[in-house]
Amino acid sequence: MIPIEHFVLLSAALLCIGLLIVIIKKNAIVVLMGIELILNASNINLVAFARYDPSIQGQLFTLFVIIVAAAEAAVALAIVVRVYSYFKSSDLDRIKELKG
Amino acid sequence: MENSMNHLQDIPFTPLAYMAMAVLLLPLLSFVVLAILPQRWKRPAIALGILFSAINVLLGSYLFSQIWEAEAVHARTQWFSLSLLDKEGPTFTAGILLGNLSVLMVMVVTVVAFLVHLFSLAYMASDKGIKRYYAFLGLFTFAMLGIVLSDNLMLIFCFWELVGLSSYLLIGFWYQKDTAVAAGKKAFLANRIGDLGFLMGLMIFWAYFGTLDLEVLHAFQKEGNWPTGELWLTVAGIGIFFGAVGKSAQFPLQVWLPDAMEGPTPVSALIHAATMVAAGVFLLARVFLLLEVDVLTFIAYTGAITAFMGAIAALYQQDIKKVLAFSTISQLGYMVMGMGVGAYGASLFHLLTHAAFKACLFLSAGAIIHVLHGLEKKLGEDGIYIDPQDMRSMGGLRRYLPTVFITYILSAFALIGLPLFSGFLSKDALLTGAALWGMEQGGAAYLVPLLAFITVALTAYYMGRQLLLVFFGTSRMAPDSDKVAAVWQQSQPLPWTMKLPLWVLALGSTAFVFSLNPVDATHSWVLQGLYATLNSANPLSIGYKQQMSIVAQGHHYHTFISLISVGLAIIGLYLSYRRYGAKKNPSKGQLVEGERAAPFLAKLSLNNWYLDTIYDKVFVRTVLFKSKTLQNFEVRVLDRFIDIFAVSQVVLAHAVSIFDRWVVDGGVNVTAYAVGLVGKWSRSIQGGKVQSYFLWVLMGVVLIVLFFLF
Amino acid sequence: MELYLFYVFAALALVSALVIIFTKNVLYAAFALVLTLLCIAAVYVYAMAPFIAVIQIIVYIGGVLVLMIFGMMLTNRLSNKSLLTEHHYIPQGLVLTTALFVLIYKALSGVNFSGLSWMKEGFAPAEDNIQQIGVYLMSDYILPFEVAAVLLLSALIGALVLSQRKERYP
């Protein structure tokens, strides 16, 4: 059995890397990749702790997370394509209609 | 005084008393109506005023017929009472006293007032303020009747002041003229000086007797409660006499009357000949029995001096009205002198005759001025300028104004005191009284009859001069006589409203109206009626004693005295004829020239004994000097202090403003700028960039985790 | 042996995740993500969830990443140049993420997992629990399962509507 701390540390590292990607990348698609990484980091935690649960709820929850992530990715990419056709750019810092 | 209370009981009003109230209040009603009615109704308003005045004459005549030589009527009611703490305080009463004296004065006032009302209709026709004029006439008549009818000195004083006010209003009627305003002011001030004395006299009487009711005062005297010989009573008498000095234009306060001629001429006839100036004499008659011997002596001297001074001042006047004004002063001096020597009846008789003939003279002069004023404009078109009041530009008017000539000459003869005219009777009686008094007192007292007799000659001289200058000779209006005739062709004839008063008053200047015997007044109905008012007096009263001695001894000297006075009058007339008579007939140029090279007497006369100059130097200059000193103090000290204070305030204000601008405003600006910076910075957070929001959220998460960990 | 293989995969996942950060080329990033997700699938296997690992490979690598690469192509101007991306907020992001990682590490180091009671009593799941998952999905989790189906359908329709070229909604 691989100790639980390793999974948790890996998930923490991936979470921080995902966050960093989300913050520093200008391209919307890469930002979406960062979000996927964050979701995967949480999935690792869920799956790892499901080992100690007879009803394996963690695994089932991970399943739903993956489903939602897929739906999210589809819709988000559609939005990105739509935004691109409107602004002629997929750089997030060019899209600032909400500027105060 | 213990018995004063029962003296002050209310006396019910009888129908006659009510009628007297009506006579009193009708002119007030006239005043109110004229004051209220709008300007565009001025014609009916004036007609109403004249109507009221006519009704007043009728009522006055009825009163006269009921009261004269009949029982006197006295009605009285409580006016107001002063309560001192819980004790009943002094009570003031008001009432009407109708006796021979009152109704005679009522007749004088109402008749002259009515005639003046009538005369003014034409005289003031072209004046814009005619409605105001008639209103003031009503007010004046009311005040004058108030003096005449009141039964106590307090009320008399109130009406006295009202007379002063309405006189002021009428003298200054043409308020656009500075001289008229100044004359009104002068009259008012001179009267106030006299009124101060009057008020003092009233206070002393009040302090002694606790009442000012004339009947009660007379009753005190009769009961022997009168502290004769007290110094304070002498002072009170002189004080009240000072009131008369102011109103009746006696020396030294006579300076206001010549200036008062600035008012409309009918007003001069009413106020400054017949009524207001006579009020002083009337007041003396009211208190005659209460006066001390020293007071009477003082009055006699003052009157004689005034008569003489007035006559001298009238000698060389050029203004037709000024001559009459000084003549009035002189005649009033006679009346006052008469009161002083105890010739009570003669004095009031002279008041009556003087009211008639002097009013006639003034109205005649008014008619002349009215006509000449009309001509002045026509002559002015041809480049000839005349003063319608200057006798030097008159002459020969008997041909052009025959009516005025006749009335003028009748009333002038009355004034001079020629036999068959009213003035002769009254002046004769006065001179007799003066002569008897002089003989009785002896020594310096002879000065009084001496001055009185000299004044007779002077009066004849100045009136003769006036008649000659105005009516005789040829006209001096324009250089060539054709021109004068042409101008007179255009003049308007006198309206009947002017002629009627002249004729009525001229008739009143004849002796027959007053006495059946035209050369002896001893038995005239007027004198008899006036003596009757003294019948109820205390026989110990000094005035009464003197009057009785005159009555008793007068007829011994009467013929002698009347011969002297007529002789003096003829001498005066002759002298004036020699100087201004038909043969000499001086031209205007000669008159002006003669004035320049005038002897000392003429200068004295023209300047009214330099009284105005002396008063100006002594009183006015002093006051001005004081005010100048005060002004200097004000400017140099007070104003400078205030200036310094103000400058320091301004400096302080500047300092405060700098502090405000740099410190307070700076603080505010820095705060605002800092807030602006914070605002700019915080706005930059809302950059519309998703990732920057995310950064902030992440930072919040880190901080929360930190918080939970440690 | 098992532990070392786990380390290899974990390290590979982290390295390829870091590649996503460092590269500017979006396509490289996508391929690095493929590697990361594959490694994570392997990690699932070591966490005794083979079904999840398979689903991970099918859904992510077969679906999501293909979608992403299509998105890249649709948002490119079809030139010879490759699609590049810029970086920004690097210092802030680095500081914050490092701080978060340090904090999580500190928090984890303070926890004694083996001392927890539910961990001691923890069961060893079967190597093959696919049947168990199927039973659960069809029984206890039938409602979330159906809702997930509807969600996927609506996401499909939504994506279609959104990516239409025609300007239906101005």
Side-chain angles (χ1 to χ4, degrees):
Chain A
M1 282 267 281
I2 297 159
I4 188 81
E5 288 88 347
H6 292 176
F7 289 102
V8 174
L9 266 179
L10 176 64
S11 113
L14 281 174
L15 169 75
C16 289
I17 290 166
L19 282 173
L20 195 57
I21 290 167
V22 167
I23 288 168
I24 67 169
K25 294 290 178 181
K26 284 188 178 180
N27 195 296
I29 292 166
V30 187
V31 171
L32 278 177
M33 293 176 192
I35 292 168
E36 298 298 339
L37 263 185
I38 293 166
L39 286 170
N40 272 291
S42 69
N43 282 351
I44 289 169
N45 263 349
L46 287 168
V47 169
F49 281 101
R51 286 191 303 173
Y52 304 95
D53 181 14
S55 60
I56 54 168
Q57 281 180 40
Q59 289 194 19
L60 287 163
F61 206 85
T62 304
L63 209 54
F64 289 117
V65 169
I66 289 168
I67 293 164
V68 172
E72 170 250 303
V75 174
L77 280 166
I79 289 170
V80 168
V81 170
R82 191 93 192 117
V83 167
Y84 178 81
S85 71
Y86 188 80
F87 288 98
K88 302 292 172 218
S89 169
S90 55
D91 275 8
L92 285 174
D93 59 345
R94 298 245 186 107
I95 304 161
K96 40 187 182 179
E97 287 292 284
L98 287 176
K99 182 180 168 64
Chain B
M1 298 264 164
E2 307 79 46
N3 52 357
S4 69
M5 281 303 133
N6 52 7
H7 282 304
L8 286 171
Q9 293 302 313
D10 280 7
I11 303 168
F13 276 65
T14 55
L16 279 175
Y18 279 119
M19 184 170 272
M21 285 294 287
V23 169
L24 173 62
L25 293 177
L26 211 54
L28 182 65
L29 183 66
S30 161
F31 165 67
V32 170
V33 165
L34 277 158
I36 287 174
L37 283 181
Q39 188 69 32
R40 66 200 146 85
W41 289 2
K42 68 178 180 189
R43 286 181 160 279
I46 290 160
L48 210 58
I50 295 172
L51 181 69
F52 282 162
S53 158
I55 294 170
N56 230 12
V57 171
L58 295 177
L59 289 173
S61 308
Y62 180 75
L63 270 183
F64 184 77
S65 69
Q66 293 297 305
I67 303 285
W68 184 260
E69 296 281 25
E71 204 178 334
V73 170
H74 186 200
R76 182 169 56 198
T77 181
Q78 186 177 325
W79 186 13
F80 62 90
S81 172
L82 298 175
S83 288
L84 301 168
L85 298 175
D86 50 2
K87 220 170 65 180
E88 184 75 6
T91 304
F92 288 83
T93 57
I96 278 177
L97 182 59
L98 285 171
N100 285 355
L101 183 55
S102 309
V103 289
L104 193 66
M105 286 302 290
V106 166
M107 279 306 285
V108 171
V109 173
T110 54
V111 169
V112 177
F114 169 64
L115 295 176
V116 165
H117 269 79
L118 206 58
F119 187 89
S120 303
L121 202 56
Y123 192 85
M124 302 296 288
S126 58
D127 200 292
K128 269 185 220 156
I130 184 164
K131 194 173 77 77
R132 181 164 54 95
Y133 172 81
Y134 271 95
F136 288 164
L137 279 187
L139 182 65
F140 172 78
T141 314
F142 163 68
M144 192 64 212
L145 286 169
I147 292 180
V148 168
L149 291 168
S150 299
D151 74 334
N152 70 62
L153 289 169
M154 180 79 186
L155 265 183
I156 287 179
F157 184 73
C158 296
F159 285 112
W160 187 268
E161 293 301 317
L162 195 55
V163 162
L165 169 71
S166 44
S167 160
Y168 167 77
L169 292 172
L170 282 166
I171 294 169
F173 178 72
W174 286 313
Y175 56 84
Q176 302 89 341
K177 267 165 68 184
D178 289 343
T179 48
V181 174
K185 232 185 305 186
K186 193 171 175 183
F188 201 71
L189 285 174
N191 272 305
R192 291 296 77 69
I193 295 168
D195 293 346
L196 199 64
F198 191 178
L199 201 57
M200 272 162 52
L202 293 191
M203 288 173 186
I204 292 168
F205 270 167
W206 180 266
Y208 264 94
F209 308 111
T211 178
L212 293 171
D213 190 288
L214 285 163
E215 291 291 279
V216 176
L217 289 174
H218 285 137
F220 278 141
Q221 200 181 31
K222 224 169 172 181
E223 288 161 8
N225 288 331
W226 195 261
T228 309
E230 286 257 2
L231 176 65
W232 281 113
L233 282 183
T234 311
V235 172
I238 287 177
I240 289 178
F241 172 59
F242 243 82
V245 166
K247 270 280 179 295
S248 289
Q250 296 298 296
F251 177 78
L253 294 178
Q254 80 268 48
V255 287
W256 67 268
L257 189 57
D259 287 27
M261 294 301 128
E262 289 288 344
T265 309
V267 164
S268 306
L270 174 63
I271 299 184
H272 308 124
T275 53
M276 169 182 160
V277 289
V281 179
F282 175 80
L283 179 68
L284 288 180
R286 275 288 195 219
V287 297
F288 178 68
L289 294 172
L290 308 176
L291 296 175
E292 296 292 309
V293 64
D294 294 337
V295 180
L296 286 171
T297 312
F298 182 68
I299 291 172
Y301 278 106
T302 310
I305 289 167
T306 310
F308 179 70
M309 285 178 80
I312 290 284
L315 288 179
Y316 286 90
Q317 296 296 328
Q318 313 293 0
D319 189 313
I320 187 167
K321 282 180 76 181
K322 283 272 168 74
V323 174
L324 296 177
F326 284 112
S327 162
T328 306
I329 292 172
S330 171
Q331 298 302 309
L332 287 163
Y334 266 138
M335 295 175 217
V336 168
M337 178 196 76
M339 284 292 167
V341 299
Y344 165 87
S347 178
L348 287 170
F349 187 25
H350 195 59
L351 193 161
L352 178 64
T353 58
H354 175 260
F357 64 68
K358 190 49 72 60
C360 183
L361 284 170
F362 265 113
L363 289 183
S364 302
I368 292 167
I369 293 164
H370 179 64
V371 171
L372 288 189
H373 192 70
L375 295 181
E376 183 189 10
K377 283 176 205 154
K378 293 196 179 77
L379 284 167
E381 288 162 11
D382 298 330
I384 301 165
Y385 299 103
I386 56 161
D387 180 350
Q389 298 194 10
D390 194 339
M391 293 193 294
R392 285 171 298 182
S393 36
M394 295 176 189
L397 290 186
R398 71 179 186 282
R399 279 192 291 278
Y400 309 114
L401 295 167
T403 314
V404 177
F405 172 60
I406 294 167
T407 56
Y408 207 98
I409 209 160
L410 285 175
S411 43
F413 282 171
L415 172 56
I416 293 165
L418 294 179
L420 305 183
F421 293 97
S422 60
F424 171 78
L425 298 174
S426 53
K427 201 180 273 184
D428 216 34
L430 275 172
L431 289 171
T432 309
L436 279 172
W437 186 76
M439 279 188 270
E440 200 176 299
Q441 306 275 320
Y446 275 113
L447 191 64
V448 170
L450 185 66
L451 286 174
F453 278 110
I454 292 172
T455 306
V456 172
L458 294 173
T459 308
Y461 179 81
Y462 66 70
M463 281 319 289
R465 170 178 177 266
Q466 189 176 40
L467 282 170
L468 290 166
L469 282 178
V470 173
F471 292 103
F472 292 91
T474 53
S475 175
R476 287 180 290 271
M477 221 157 23
D480 72 287
S481 50
D482 296 343
K483 179 91 209 161
V484 175
V487 167
W488 274 104
Q489 288 283 315
Q490 300 173 354
S491 72
Q492 301 285 325
L494 286 177
W496 70 269
T497 53
M498 278 190 167
K499 280 182 179 166
L500 179 70
L502 293 181
W503 283 120
V504 170
L505 289 168
L507 192 67
S509 308
T510 57
F512 308 101
V513 182
F514 302 101
S515 171
L516 287 172
N517 181 352
V519 291
D520 187 1
T522 317
H523 300 291
S524 91
W525 58 267
V526 181
L527 276 181
Q528 293 305 318
L530 288 170
Y531 291 150
T533 58
L534 298 177
N535 283 346
S536 61
N538 176 14
L540 289 174
S541 162
I542 295 119
Y544 179 77
K545 278 194 282 188
Q546 285 184 359
Q547 175 67 78
M548 285 306 120
S549 83
I550 290 168
V551 171
Q553 299 175 35
H555 59 274
H556 300 309
Y557 302 93
H558 168 256
T559 319
F560 176 62
I561 283 166
S562 56
L563 278 176
I564 290 177
S565 87
V566 171
L568 283 168
I570 288 169
I571 289 169
L573 280 174
Y574 172 69
L575 286 174
S576 69
Y577 181 76
R578 270 195 51 185
R579 196 174 153 89
Y580 300 100
K583 281 176 193 160
K584 295 245 175 159
N585 191 21
S587 68
K588 187 174 181 176
Q590 277 173 328
L591 285 170
V592 174
E593 231 6 83
E595 191 182 297
R596 251 183 228 143
F600 173 69
L601 182 65
K603 278 187 179 154
L604 197 65
S605 163
L606 265 176
N607 293 300
N608 188 20
W609 298 77
Y610 292 102
L611 280 177
D612 278 332
T613 323
I614 292 166
Y615 291 166
D616 185 60
K617 287 237 166 79
V618 176
F619 298 112
V620 179
R621 290 278 169 82
T622 318
V623 170
L624 284 180
F625 175 74
K626 273 184 193 161
S627 65
K628 199 137 209 170
T629 317
L630 287 175
Q631 190 201 17
N632 277 342
F633 177 74
E634 170 99 16
V635 169
R636 298 248 166 88
V637 183
L638 291 180
D639 281 10
R640 187 152 299 171
F641 175 73
I642 289 166
D643 274 357
I644 289 167
F645 187 66
V647 166
S648 62
Q649 287 281 322
V650 169
V651 167
L652 183 67
H654 275 291
V656 168
S657 121
I658 288 166
F659 176 79
D660 194 61
R661 200 170 302 150
W662 292 104
V663 180
V664 178
D665 284 9
V668 171
N669 282 342
V670 164
T671 311
Y673 184 71
V675 170
L677 273 185
V678 171
K680 260 183 199 163
W681 177 72
S682 61
R683 201 178 67 152
S684 73
I685 295 172
Q686 302 283 330
K689 291 179 183 174
V690 180
Q691 281 154 318
S692 75
Y693 299 161
F694 194 85
L695 256 176
W696 288 110
V697 172
L698 189 62
M699 191 164 142
V701 169
V702 171
L703 287 175
I704 287 168
V705 172
L706 257 175
F707 177 75
F708 278 116
L709 275 181
F710 302 104
Chain C
M1 182 65 203
E2 196 185 355
L3 192 62
Y4 294 122
L5 275 175
F6 172 79
Y7 284 152
V8 169
F9 283 121
L12 210 54
L14 285 175
V15 167
S16 56
L18 286 172
V19 168
I20 301 173
I21 292 173
F22 290 125
T23 182
K24 285 190 174 178
N25 197 319
V26 178
L27 201 61
Y28 291 176
F31 288 130
L33 185 66
V34 168
L35 191 57
T36 310
L37 293 175
L38 273 172
C39 293
I40 287 169
V43 168
Y44 288 161
V45 172
Y46 288 113
M48 301 182 187
F51 180 72
I52 300 299
V54 171
I55 293 297
Q56 168 92 350
I57 290 165
I58 291 168
V59 173
Y60 270 110
I61 295 143
V64 174
L65 270 167
V66 172
L67 262 175
M68 281 188 176
I69 289 163
F70 268 103
M72 270 175 242
M73 292 194 309
L74 284 171
T75 59
N76 205 346
R77 291 204 180 82
L78 289 176
S79 60
N80 286 334
K81 280 190 217 163
S82 51
L83 184 59
L84 296 179
T85 181
E86 297 289 316
H87 295 161
H88 58 177
Y89 297 128
I90 293 169
Q92 296 101 309
L94 262 177
V95 168
L96 280 173
T97 46
T98 315
L100 189 66
F101 182 76
V102 170
L103 285 172
I104 291 169
Y105 183 81
K106 278 210 88 169
L108 287 174
S109 60
V111 177
N112 183 15
F113 284 105
S114 51
L116 294 168
S117 59
W118 54 269
M119 233 170 227
K120 280 183 194 153
E121 292 161 14
F123 85 117
E127 287 286 326
D128 182 12
N129 53 6
I130 295 165
Q131 188 189 359
Q132 197 185 356
I133 288 168
V135 169
Y136 274 129
L137 278 180
M138 285 300 138
S139 59
D140 289 1
Y141 293 93
I142 184 72
L143 186 62
F145 187 71
E146 294 299 334
V147 170
V150 173
L151 177 72
L152 276 173
L153 182 63
S154 57
L156 181 66
I157 297 167
L160 267 172
V161 168
L162 279 173
S163 55
Q164 262 178 341
R165 278 264 171 209
K166 265 187 196 167
E167 291 284 328
R168 255 216 209 145
Y169 309 102

